[in-house]
Each structure stands twice: as C-alpha cells, then as structure tokens.
Amino acid sequence: MAQYVKKDDDRDEEGKSLSFLVPFSDLSESENLIVYDRVSSVLLRDLLFHFRSTYIVVNVDSFYALAIVMPVDLVVSDDCKAEYSPFSGIEKGAVLQEARVFNDPQLDSRRCSQTEATEVFFSVTKLFQARDIGLRRMVYLIIKELSPSADEVIIVTSSLMKDMNSKTDVYRANAIRVLCRITDGTLLTQIERYLKQAIVDKNPVVASAALVSGIHLLQTNPEIVKRWSNEVQEAVQSRAALVQFHALALLQQIRQNDRLAVSKLVTSLTKGTVRSPLAQCLLIRYTSQVIRESSMNSQTGDRPFYDYLESCLRHKSEMVIFEAARAITELNGVTSRELTPAITVLQLFLSSSKPVLRFAAVRTLNKVAMTHPMAVTTCNIDMESLISDQNRSIATLAITTLLKTGNESGVDRLMKQITNFMSDIADEFKIVVVDAIRSLCLKFPLKFRTLMGFLSNILREEGGFEYKKAIVDSIVTIIREIPDAKESGLLHLCEFIEDCEFTYLSTQILHFLGIEGPKTSDPSKYIRYIYNRVILENATVRASAVSTLAKFGAMVDSLKPRIFVLLRRCLYDNDDEVRDRATLYLNTIGGDGSVVETDKDVKEFLFGSLGLPLVNLETSLKNYEPSEEPFDISSVSREVKSQPFAEKKAAAKKPTGLGAPLAGPTSAVDTYDKLLLSIPEFSTFGQLFKSSAPVELTEAETEYAVNVVKHIFDKHVVFQYNCTNTIPEQLLEDVTIVVDASEAEEFEELATKPLKSLPYDTPGQTFVAFEKPEGVPAVGKFTNVLRFIVKEVDPSTGEAEEDGVEDEYQLEEFEVVAADYMLKVGVSNFRNAWESLGPDFERVDEYGLGPRESLKEAVTTVINLLGMQPCEGTEVVAANSRSHTCLLSGVYIGNMKVLVRLSFGVDSAKEVAMKLAVRSEDEAVSDAIHELVAN
C-alpha cells in the first residue's frame, strides 16, 4: 500500500484547515486510491461500511479526511474506475457551501431537513430510474437508514431484486445488503437462491456483502442461514482476504452450538488453508475456545492445538503474532514452558517503533504478571525504558507491571523513577499506580516505610476525590495488614486531614483514627489533630471529630480529664448535632473528669455494634407510631435479609481501605456470627471460629440455585444452605435439606432449621447442625437432597395456589476438609515470628510427594491442603526452579498460632520431596499439622 502524508496548507473562506491525505507519489499515479476531503461523521460511517477495503482517516475541524484504498482486483480499467466513486461529478465547493447551514448559530430546521422521512422515502424510490451510479449508491444508503415499514418495503422490493441480478457489481452488493436489512422471513425464502449464488460469486465485494448479510440474518432467521453451510464452506477457501474472514465468522456462528463441529472446523483450518491475516486472527480465537473446552492430555501433558498457536508466533503479520501470543497467555493453567515463546514475542514488541504494538504488548504482560510474575521478569529492563514513553497509557502499564514483577531489592530504585512520572499523568492512571503500590507493599512488608512515604508524599499533591480516596484506602489497608506501619500511617493520615477539602475522607479518617488511635503506644499525640477539626471544619466533620474524641476518652482512661475539657467546649457549638453528641458523651462516659475505667456496657452502647441489621431498624422506626409506650429496640427483627437475586449474580468488587471491615481473624465471620446467634438452636454453640467461602451445589442457570457455607465451632459444625428459586411461576414452602453423613462417621446430626417460604428471586437460608469431637479436625463427605412443597403461582395476580406437591432436587456433594479448621492469618515479619514461638513445640519431618508436573503444582497443592496464608510472596515459584522454600502462617482451631516452613526439591524424574517444619503454641497442634500431610 502506498504511504500518505497529511497536507495542511489549504484554507477555506473562514480560515479553517482543509487538510487532506496526499500520497508521496503523484495522486494520478496511485490507481487504486480514492480520496474524500471534509467528510461528515455520518457519511464517513456509511462510506466505511460499504467500502470493504483498507482506509485511512484523519480528523480535521470536526470533519474527516478519508483515503480509501480499493482492492487491486477491483480496479480493472480507467473506464470503470468511476463506478466505485459514489460522488463522482459532484462539485466539492457547492457541497461545502450547502453543508454550512448545519453550523449556523440560528439553525433553519426547515432548510436542514427539507421533508419528512416518509416523503423522502417515496421520492427516493423514483430515483431507481436514474442511471447515475453515485446517485444510486445514495439511494441504497437512505433506504437502509430509513428502515421502511412492511407496507413501504413492497414498493422497493422488486427494484432491489432486479439490482441484485444486475451486471454491475456495485449494484448487486448494495442491493443484497439493503434487502437483507429490510426484508422479512417470507421474502427471504424467495431470494435465498440468489444469496447462495452471491456467496460463491467471483467478485469479492458481492461475496462479502452476502456473507455479512448472513451474519446479521442469523439472529432473526437462523434456520434459513444454516442451509447455506456448503456455500459458506466453499467461501472459506476464497483467495480474497475479506471474503475468507467473513465466511469463517459466519461458519463458526452457524456451528457454535455444536462443539464437535467447531472442533472439526478448527482442526481442518489449522492445517494451513487460511491466508487472510484477519481470518487467521479469528481462527486463533476459535482455537482458544476449543482448547478451553477440552481437557489436557493426562498421559503426555500436551495441550491440543498448542503447536498451532506457537506456529502463529512466526507469522509475517504482526496482528496474527500478537493474537497468538495473547491466546497463549490466556490459556487455563498455562505453564511456564508454554508461556516462554509468547513472552519472548511480546518482549520484542516492547521495543517496536509502533505505539500500538508497544501498548498491546505491555497490556498483555500486565495481565500475565497477575498470575505469573516470574515469567515476566525477563522483560523488566525493556519495560523500564517505557516509563518515559510519550504515550502515558503505555508508561502507566509499564509502571504497574514492574510493581507486580519487581523484587524486594529493586523497590527503592523503582520508587525514584515513579516519583518523576506521577506528575505527568491523569488521575485515572495515578489510581492504577496507587493500587499496584499497595499490592507491592503487602507482598514485601519490610519495605512499608519506603512505600508509605511515597504514598504520603503524593497525598499532599493536587488531585481529585477518587485519586485521594485511593491513596487513603491504600494507607488504611497497609495499616491493617502490617502492624508495624500503624503509627507512621496514622500520622500521615492526620497530616492529610489538616488540609483536606473532601468532607467524606475527613470523616472516614476520623472514624478510623478513633478505632486504631487508642491502641497505639502514645494516643495523646493524635488529640491535637482531632480537636483542630472541631475548630476549623464544617459541621459534619466537627460532629465526627467529637465522636472520635469521645472514643479516645472511653478507651484511654489517662486522657479522660483532657478529653472532657475539649468536649465541654463543644457544648457551645452553633450546630445542634455537635452539641447533642458532646452532651451524650459527657453524660455517659462521666462528666466529672475523674480518671476511672469506663464501664464495659457504656463502651458497647456508644461504640459497639447494634447487633441487628440497620435496614430492619430503619423499617421498624418508620412503622413506629408515637404513643405512650416508648420504642422497644428488642422488637426489631435480628434476621439478616438476603441479597436480591439480581444483585447476587452481579460481580461485586471486594471492598478495601476505609470501606472494608476491620482486620483480624474474626472480621470475616462477623455477619455470620450475628446471624447464628439470632437462631436459638445454635446460640449455645459458643464462639464461631471460621466460616468458609460458599460452595456451589448446583450448576449455573438451573431451576434452583443452592450453595453451602460451612461454619466451624469448637464442638459443632453448622451448614448454611443459601437457596434461590429461579422459576417465576413457583412458590416453594417447607424447604429443608436432607443430609446423608454416612461417609462422615465423626459427625452426628443435631438440629435442622427449615425455610418456611421461598418465593421467586428472593434467597433464603436453611440450616443443618452437626456435633463433632471437641477440638478435633474431623473430615467427611456429605450428600444433600433439597426437599420442598411446590405451589403454582398465577402470573397475573402473583398469588399461589392453596394445594402444593411435595418434590425434591438432588444437590452436589461437598466435603469438610482439614483446611476448614485453619484461619489464614499473615505475619509481617516471618523470621521474628518464627523465633518468638521458639523450638519447644517444633516438629520436623520429610515426605515424598511422588511425581508432579511441576514444582509449582506441588507447592500449590500443599498450601491448599493446609489452608494457611503464604508469607512474604513465597507462594511464587521461579520458572525451572529445582528447589523452593515456602513460609506459611495461620491460626488453628482453638486459636492456636501456627507457623510452617516448607522446603521442596525435585529430581530429574519430577519426583518431589518435601521437608516440613512446624512451630506452634501447642505440641498437639504441631503433630496435627504433620498428620494432615501424612494422610
């Protein structure tokens, strides 16, 4: 294809640029080039839709300059070259003069839209008699855009069918597109024979038009289009690039519901019959789909079609190379050996002169770094050079990828590079960098001072709300996860609220300060920052500051006299909320200023949890009618109402920072704990130790959706079955789960709490409780059957029938495993924690794990078996490594702290050996961990 430059020297009467594209060579010498200048966006869209060819577009003064490069085989002679220009003979100056009416300050709507659409349509139909090719092309465009009604379609059908059999290819192609756009199923059967002929037509424009029309028709008339398989199969072998591309797309959509047919199609085409780069990219995507749906060969470990994807990495087209590399990186369970060739190709793209290749490569590597950071480390040097790239998107992706793949020793150097970079990018890119820095700090806890310092520096710079919130959330997360970072992090937040313009952030930081501040070694140093808010801020922040001061007074007895002085000053505030809070806290904590310990009930009343859902409290208060009897909070229902089905299906982002629950072993089960305590049958079971993640017991899109949450107590296990009825015409009543524990001998069923009613789209819970030996990690398999009474619901009234029918639904099995008795709790410094436990209860032994596919698989298997938290990033195994050490931390049932040091080694036969060292606070716990591995 020829090269083109943008020319800017022409100006119109108003001085606006009339830029257009001009080839390096003389325009007359480029036979297959058509250039349009000052094209509107609407016209541009239609031109690009009808010219199925290569094009170049440049935006100029809200118009577009368009260069269309026609396929060489369409440019047959000078005589017929004009057939491919819909605007031949139209004077550019006159068109531009007329188009200026759209830019007038006072629009003349009558002049802009001369007539109504219907009148235009009937007028346009008369133009079928005209022989001007350009005018005929405009007729096709306007009929397609107006989408006439069924009555109006009859008028143009015969003319379009005549054009479909015309000797002029441009008539045939456009008539096919328009007919298929406006026709219905009845007419389609009449023209089906012509469409089949068009698919295998020698002219690629006609064939491509028929295939694209088939893709659209497949949505409305699939049965008719499926009969074209033989013709489409023949079109796949076409030498024209676009025809092959469209034919492959249509053929796959015809067979998409038949896995075997798609697999056969991919198998036949991967043998080298695809010439078009676009079709090759499409084939790579279909191959990836087949790979995902097929399983890896368990004997040889080979993945089907992987060799084809790897061969595409050596293709001459850059888009095919990139598509193949991306497909390899997105394979399920991809190994380091499979990743290597794709990473090598992407690394070459990083140094390309084309920004689009650099961006595509670094974005793909960024995604790979989330799951295989070690595989991307070979590209770090190339990515460091991209930090100064003129394209800020490329630079941001390079930075975040380096943060994910960097090692602990390179953190300081990387932070220096990022410091200069942050001032040059927009807030949305800065947020991405901040999130990556937070992840890096959690990965390397010993570097928290450097990373926290960087976050505090950028917190003082200019930025919007979302950017500042991301920084604050990151600092809060680091404080919660790394205890050593608490005091310095709180001081950074205190300095920020001294000059914070966002009320929401100020109140949230004050709330967080009231929780964490009293637990520090010197709580008094935060009082100055808090009281400054009472003096300088708006009423909302002042009220929040008063509550924070009261928390310090209630939690730190030595600060009470000073806190009471400050609270008394707040009694004269001009805002009633601030005065009311100060009065409440002075009267409940003790306004005499004496240094006495605050009563536990007072602390619970002021700062503890209500113990009931706020939604239920709000509903009860709204329904309360004023009377002589005061509102009784004990009358509020404690039942946790389930999430609506629509919200449940939506993917929810895990909250972090200020929006996240408080850190600690029990924070993840607080909601479940309150729910179980509200049920009399389970209220005597004691403290809830752990609640598992939900385990799905039904497949997606079934009549009933059921998952189970395993609640672990010291002597009991409670299974919470979350059930959802997805059938609108049914109401389920007396819903229970019948559990067969014959393969769990150490468990004995105690109680069942059925669900009275389960309407459509309203999840509910039913529970089954089992007793087990105290403090023993009992395991077993449980079989489940859902039983209920089903009643038909009248869709018009929504009322259910009185009589119902008993029914049951078989659910999947699930197991209680050893990992259910271990809480994942990390430590900031493993070495110090290991030494603090001492060798008194240390147990060391060696185990043979047998042949494994890789060392990484062995490490992951043991981590999942124990259910412990990997520390200091040791869960990541280097590629081709022969040995590895993994550090794990957790809390065993009975609140026993456990630390594990795993040493792995693999020989040439892939036999893996493991040395297990366990330290805990109890000898029996150390022995129990070894028994888990031994069994």
Side-chain angles (χ1 to χ4, degrees):
M1 185 179 75
Q3 293 185 337
Y4 307 93
V5 294
K6 182 167 160 259
K7 188 175 178 182
D8 292 311
D9 10 345
D10 289 354
R11 300 277 170 179
D12 64 9
E13 295 173 357
E14 299 176 2
K16 291 186 178 180
S17 170
L18 289 178
S19 304
F20 53 94
L21 298 175
V22 179
F24 282 121
S25 58
D26 185 45
L27 188 61
S28 61
E29 296 176 8
S30 183
E31 295 183 346
N32 60 334
L33 176 72
I34 299 174
V35 178
Y36 299 106
D37 190 13
R38 302 278 290 182
V39 181
S40 71
S41 59
V42 176
L43 187 55
L44 173 74
R45 181 192 62 193
D46 290 323
L47 283 168
L48 297 187
F49 183 78
H50 284 270
F51 280 101
R52 293 293 171 177
S53 51
T54 308
Y55 51 83
I56 304 169
V57 181
V58 176
N59 187 297
V60 182
D61 293 335
S62 78
F63 281 78
Y64 296 82
L66 172 67
I68 297 181
V69 184
M70 299 302 297
V72 177
D73 55 350
L74 294 185
V75 186
V76 290
S77 67
D78 293 336
D79 295 331
C80 61
K81 250 193 299 188
E83 289 184 4
Y84 297 99
S85 172
F87 304 111
S88 60
I90 296 178
E91 187 179 349
K92 182 176 74 173
V95 174
L96 293 177
Q97 189 68 31
E98 289 293 326
R100 286 177 182 166
V101 300
F102 299 109
N103 298 321
D104 288 344
Q106 300 296 327
L107 282 177
D108 184 350
S109 58
R110 185 186 179 93
R111 192 178 173 194
C112 292
S113 53
Q114 297 290 336
T115 51
E116 293 291 336
T118 304
E119 185 179 342
V120 169
F121 172 75
F122 283 108
S123 301
V124 163
T125 58
K126 299 175 184 178
L127 296 178
F128 275 105
Q129 300 173 6
R131 295 187 178 182
D132 184 84
I133 297 174
L135 188 59
R136 182 68 66 86
R137 292 285 300 277
M138 295 304 295
V139 170
Y140 295 134
L141 284 174
I142 199 166
I143 292 175
K144 183 172 67 69
E145 291 300 324
L146 288 175
S147 298
S149 64
D151 296 335
E152 296 167 347
V153 165
I154 302 172
I155 300 171
V156 294
T157 299
S158 59
S159 298
L160 289 173
M161 291 181 67
K162 181 180 178 182
D163 284 353
M164 196 168 67
N165 295 295
S166 171
K167 293 181 180 180
T168 307
D169 290 334
V170 74
Y171 287 1
R172 294 167 58 201
N174 284 282
I176 289 171
R177 290 181 186 274
V178 177
L179 260 178
C180 293
R181 172 74 176 269
I182 66 176
T183 191
D184 57 10
T186 306
L187 180 61
L188 191 59
T189 55
Q190 300 177 27
I191 63 172
E192 182 181 4
R193 179 168 59 90
Y194 300 110
L195 292 175
K196 285 184 177 182
Q197 293 174 357
I199 289 173
V200 294
D201 196 277
K202 293 181 180 180
N203 189 302
V205 174
V206 175
S208 190
L211 290 166
V212 172
S213 299
I215 293 173
H216 294 308
L217 289 172
L218 196 62
Q219 311 301 321
T220 55
N221 298 278
E223 296 303 322
I224 294 177
V225 178
K226 287 178 181 179
R227 297 200 292 259
W228 306 351
S229 293
N230 293 336
E231 288 77 12
V232 178
Q233 183 77 48
E234 185 178 342
V236 170
Q237 309 302 323
S238 172
R239 301 183 66 87
L242 277 175
V243 174
Q244 193 173 50
F245 169 63
H246 291 140
L248 178 58
L250 178 55
L251 191 59
Q252 191 275 339
Q253 288 192 31
I254 290 174
R255 301 181 178 182
Q256 62 182 349
N257 295 324
D258 187 346
R259 284 189 182 182
L260 182 59
V262 173
S263 180
K264 288 181 178 179
L265 173 65
V266 169
T267 303
S268 63
L269 294 178
T270 50
K271 295 177 181 178
T273 57
V274 178
R275 302 179 186 87
S276 164
L278 285 171
Q280 193 93 340
C281 290
L282 209 54
L283 180 58
I284 290 171
R285 295 188 181 185
Y286 298 153
T287 304
S288 301
Q289 179 184 343
V290 172
I291 292 175
R292 282 194 297 271
E293 293 173 353
S294 61
S295 58
M296 185 182 294
N297 190 313
S298 57
Q299 295 180 349
T300 63
D302 293 334
R303 196 187 297 270
F305 300 112
Y306 173 79
D307 292 339
Y308 166 72
L309 294 180
E310 190 176 17
S311 68
C312 291
L313 297 175
R314 298 182 288 275
H315 199 275
K316 60 183 179 181
S317 172
E318 290 171 337
M319 77 167 97
V320 175
I321 295 172
F322 170 71
E323 192 70 38
R326 187 178 68 171
I328 291 174
T329 61
E330 292 177 352
L331 292 175
N332 293 331
V334 63
T335 63
S336 299
R337 181 182 64 82
E338 293 171 331
L339 270 178
T340 302
I343 298 295
T344 304
V345 167
L346 294 172
Q347 187 175 3
L348 293 174
F349 282 176
L350 291 175
S351 54
S352 171
S353 59
K354 300 177 181 178
V356 67
L357 284 181
R358 298 199 302 273
F359 175 78
V362 75
R363 185 175 65 169
T364 305
L365 290 171
N366 185 276
K367 293 179 181 177
V368 176
M370 296 179 185
T371 53
H372 298 82
M374 296 303 297
V376 185
T377 52
T378 55
C379 307
N380 282 3
I381 296 176
D382 298 277
M383 281 189 286
E384 285 185 18
S385 63
L386 295 180
I387 294 177
S388 56
D389 196 287
Q390 293 180 350
N391 188 313
R392 295 290 85 186
S393 298
I394 295 175
T396 305
L397 286 167
I399 281 288
T400 53
T401 308
L402 286 168
L403 290 172
K404 294 171 186 174
T405 60
N407 52 34
E408 194 166 3
S409 59
V411 169
D412 296 326
R413 177 172 54 84
L414 195 56
M415 287 298 104
K416 290 179 182 178
Q417 290 179 290
I418 297 177
T419 302
N420 300 326
F421 163 80
M422 291 293 282
S423 59
D424 299 333
I425 60 175
D427 277 6
E428 56 264 31
F429 294 135
K430 292 179 181 178
I431 292 172
V432 176
V433 175
V434 168
D435 290 341
I437 290 174
R438 175 180 61 200
S439 301
L440 185 68
C441 189
L442 298 179
K443 182 179 179 182
F444 303 120
L446 296 178
K447 288 292 181 181
F448 77 86
R449 289 182 178 84
T450 301
L451 299 171
M452 186 83 82
F454 175 81
L455 291 174
S456 66
N457 289 334
I458 61 176
L459 190 57
R460 300 189 192 100
E461 297 173 358
E462 293 295 323
F465 170 75
E466 293 296 336
Y467 174 47
K468 293 297 177 105
K469 183 177 182 296
I471 301 173
V472 172
D473 283 349
S474 296
I475 293 176
V476 169
T477 302
I478 293 171
I479 291 172
R480 285 175 171 163
E481 299 294 333
I482 306 174
D484 294 341
K486 179 182 289 186
E487 300 211 5
S488 60
L490 290 177
L491 283 175
H492 290 317
L493 294 177
C494 286
E495 292 171 2
F496 171 63
I497 60 175
E498 286 288 312
D499 190 27
C500 177
E501 59 183 311
F502 304 109
T503 299
Y504 172 82
L505 291 181
S506 295
T507 55
Q508 293 296 306
I509 290 173
L510 286 169
H511 173 72
F512 181 69
L513 198 59
I515 296 171
E516 300 293 340
K519 302 174 186 176
T520 59
S521 57
D522 184 13
S524 61
K525 62 185 176 183
Y526 305 109
I527 302 300
R528 172 172 63 88
Y529 297 100
I530 300 170
Y531 189 66
N532 282 346
R533 309 281 63 75
V534 177
I535 301 172
L536 303 173
E537 294 286 356
N538 58 50
T540 303
V541 179
R542 295 202 305 272
S544 181
V546 168
S547 297
T548 304
L549 285 173
K551 288 178 183 177
F552 275 78
M555 303 297 180
V556 186
D557 297 328
S558 60
L559 292 178
K560 273 189 177 180
R562 296 160 61 183
I563 297 295
F564 288 151
V565 171
L566 299 178
L567 289 178
R568 288 193 189 100
R569 294 178 183 176
C570 298
L571 295 174
Y572 305 101
D573 194 276
N574 57 8
D575 184 78
D576 56 350
E577 172 73 15
V578 177
R579 296 194 303 270
D580 289 349
R581 290 195 185 197
T583 303
L584 172 66
Y585 295 138
L586 283 170
N587 290 333
T588 51
I589 297 176
D592 56 356
S594 57
V595 183
V596 294
E597 184 177 355
T598 306
D599 188 73
K600 185 177 180 181
D601 292 336
V602 173
K603 290 182 183 179
E604 184 65 26
F605 170 70
L606 292 176
F607 312 116
S609 171
L610 286 173
L612 48 86
L614 290 177
V615 176
N616 296 2
L617 177 60
E618 180 185 7
T619 304
S620 299
L621 287 171
K622 286 180 178 178
N623 296 334
Y624 171 69
E625 295 181 0
S627 61
E628 294 182 359
E629 295 184 6
F631 176 78
D632 185 7
I633 197 170
S634 61
S635 64
V636 180
S637 171
R638 295 177 179 269
E639 183 179 354
V640 180
K641 293 186 178 180
S642 301
Q643 197 177 17
F645 185 54
E647 293 181 18
K648 181 186 174 188
K649 291 195 292 185
K653 184 178 179 182
K654 184 180 178 181
T656 57
L658 293 171
L662 293 178
T666 61
S667 62
V669 296
D670 276 347
T671 303
Y672 290 130
D673 197 12
K674 295 172 187 174
L675 174 62
L676 295 172
L677 285 174
S678 66
I679 301 172
E681 292 90 337
F682 313 141
S683 59
T684 59
F685 287 179
Q687 179 64 43
L688 176 62
F689 174 70
K690 179 183 178 180
S691 294
S692 72
V695 178
E696 296 296 333
L697 302 182
T698 56
E699 295 182 358
E701 308 301 331
T702 54
E703 302 96 317
Y704 313 110
V706 182
N707 63 53
V708 63
V709 178
K710 295 173 278 188
H711 302 296
I712 308 298
F713 295 85
D714 193 37
K715 296 174 60 177
H716 303 85
V717 174
V718 177
F719 299 137
Q720 174 185 329
Y721 295 89
N722 301 308
C723 309
T724 305
N725 173 19
T726 62
I727 304 178
E729 298 82 11
Q730 287 187 0
L731 171 68
L732 308 187
E733 293 185 348
D734 296 331
V735 181
T736 59
I737 303 289
V738 180
V739 183
D740 179 4
S742 58
E743 296 184 55
E745 298 177 354
E746 295 181 276
F747 294 86
E748 182 179 349
E749 186 171 337
L750 279 184
T752 299
K753 186 179 186 300
L755 180 62
K756 292 182 179 179
S757 176
L758 188 63
Y760 165 68
D761 205 15
T762 305
Q765 298 94 23
T766 177
F767 300 83
V768 180
F770 284 83
E771 187 177 19
K772 69 174 187 65
E774 183 175 358
V776 174
V779 297
K781 182 183 293 185
F782 298 84
T783 305
N784 312 275
V785 176
L786 177 67
R787 284 188 181 170
F788 49 85
I789 297 175
V790 59
K791 295 183 177 180
E792 296 297 325
V793 176
D794 187 348
S796 58
T797 62
E799 296 182 358
E801 297 178 355
E802 293 185 4
D803 298 329
V805 179
E806 291 187 5
D807 200 357
E808 63 181 37
Y809 189 82
Q810 184 66 45
L811 304 176
E812 299 287 341
E813 298 176 342
F814 71 91
E815 292 184 82
V816 173
V817 296
D820 291 326
Y821 298 94
M822 181 73 73
L823 273 177
K824 290 185 176 182
V825 180
V827 293
S828 58
N829 190 318
F830 187 88
R831 182 177 179 180
N832 290 346
W834 182 266
E835 292 176 354
S836 66
L837 279 179
D840 295 342
F841 301 124
E842 180 177 356
R843 294 292 179 269
V844 183
D845 205 346
E846 295 181 355
Y847 301 91
L849 302 184
R852 298 282 173 170
E853 183 181 336
S854 64
L855 195 59
K856 179 183 178 181
E857 185 208 343
V859 173
T860 304
T861 301
V862 176
I863 292 175
N864 293 338
L865 173 67
L866 297 178
M868 301 179 72
Q869 177 66 43
C871 301
E872 301 177 8
T874 54
E875 73 277 14
V876 179
V877 182
N880 302 320
S881 177
R882 309 292 296 180
S883 62
H884 183 72
T885 299
C886 184
L887 310 176
L888 305 177
S889 170
V891 173
Y892 193 66
I893 187 169
N895 290 320
M896 294 291 180
K897 187 175 181 179
V898 185
L899 297 177
V900 168
R901 190 193 299 270
L902 299 167
S903 300
F904 294 88
V906 60
D907 60 16
S908 56
K910 292 190 176 182
E911 293 278 346
V912 178
M914 180 185 73
K915 181 180 179 181
L916 171 63
V918 182
R919 287 188 180 183
S920 69
E921 298 172 332
D922 191 321
E923 181 180 1
V925 174
S926 299
D927 292 335
I929 300 299
H930 276 277
E931 288 179 12
L932 293 180
V933 176
N935 295 332

